[in-house]
């Protein structure tokens, strides 16, 4: 179950064209960063960028580009984590949890990759079991976590 209290954590909202990173101390947001994803770096044409999310990820996996994409994502997340922990906080603060959400296809694969590479934080999906919804699966709920959170906040 989700408990904010005074815990330091981040929420990573994954999308195909950008990643939003929200740093929290308890339930208070302290820092927000948007990381644009330039798909041209992976030799993906404008037509291919218009594909549905799942098709685009499958396309990247079929052509061996997904691992490079995952490495770049990890590098950018580590860069933002380092900035927050060592430049902003300067008090030994370490992020204890990283929650992933968003409409990124096959988010479980990204979670697995992040778990292998980010050792000091627990990496998991954002807990949404407590949200009653008309969607058929948890993936659909994860795609709408930001607007759901804003609506619940009032």
């Amino acid at each position: 179950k989700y408990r904010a209290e005074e815990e330091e954590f981040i929420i990573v909202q994954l999308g195909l064209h950008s990643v939003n990173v929200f740093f929290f101390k308890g339930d208070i947001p302290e820092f927000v960063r948007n990381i644009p994803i330039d798909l041209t770096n992976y030799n993906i044409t404008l037509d291919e960028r218009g594909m549905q999310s799942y098709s685009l990820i499958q396309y990247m996996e079929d052509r061996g580009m997904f691992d490079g994409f995952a490495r770049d994502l990890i590098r950018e997340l580590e860069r933002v984590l380092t900035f927050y922990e060592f430049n902003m906080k300067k008090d030994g603060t370490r992020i204890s949890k990283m929650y992933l959400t968003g409409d990124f296809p096959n988010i479980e694969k990204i979670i697995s990759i992040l778990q292998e590479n980010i050792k000091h934080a627990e990496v998991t999906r954002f807990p949404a079991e407590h949200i009653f919804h008309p969607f058929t699966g948890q993936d659909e709920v994860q795609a709408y976590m930001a607007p759901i959170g804003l609506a619940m906040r009032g």
Side-chain angles (χ1 to χ4, degrees), residues 87-142:
N87 292 357
M88 276 190 68
K89 297 304 272 186
K90 297 181 185 175
D91 63 0
T93 295
R94 297 289 280 186
I95 296 298
S96 60
K97 291 192 189 305
M98 179 183 294
Y99 295 110
L100 268 66
T101 189
D103 62 352
F104 196 86
N106 201 355
I107 202 166
E108 294 300 328
K109 184 172 185 173
I110 292 291
I111 289 173
S112 175
I113 291 168
L114 289 172
Q115 285 171 336
E116 291 172 12
N117 290 280
I118 298 180
K119 301 294 185 197
H120 70 279
E122 177 188 345
V123 180
T124 186
R125 266 185 181 223
F126 190 84
E129 301 79 30
H130 61 285
I131 298 174
F132 296 104
H133 56 81
F135 302 113
T136 57
Q138 283 299 314
D139 288 343
E140 291 171 313
V141 175
Q142 295 294 332

Side-chain angles (χ1 to χ4, degrees), residues 49-101:
R49 280 182 265 170
M51 292 178 174
Q52 294 295 320
S53 299
Y54 182 79
S55 299
L56 184 56
I57 295 303
Q58 189 62 50
Y59 177 87
M60 290 173 76
E61 286 179 346
D62 291 347
R63 284 154 187 78
M65 295 183 263
F66 187 80
D67 290 340
F69 170 79
R71 277 192 308 275
D72 290 347
L73 176 63
I74 290 165
R75 184 174 42 250
E76 289 302 317
L77 286 173
E78 286 176 338
R79 193 174 293 164
V80 172
L81 273 168
T82 299
F83 173 78
Y84 178 79
E85 292 176 340
F86 298 107
N87 292 357
M88 276 190 68
K89 297 304 272 186
K90 297 181 185 175
D91 63 0
T93 295
R94 297 289 280 186
I95 296 298
S96 60
K97 291 192 189 305
M98 179 183 294
Y99 295 110
L100 268 66
T101 189

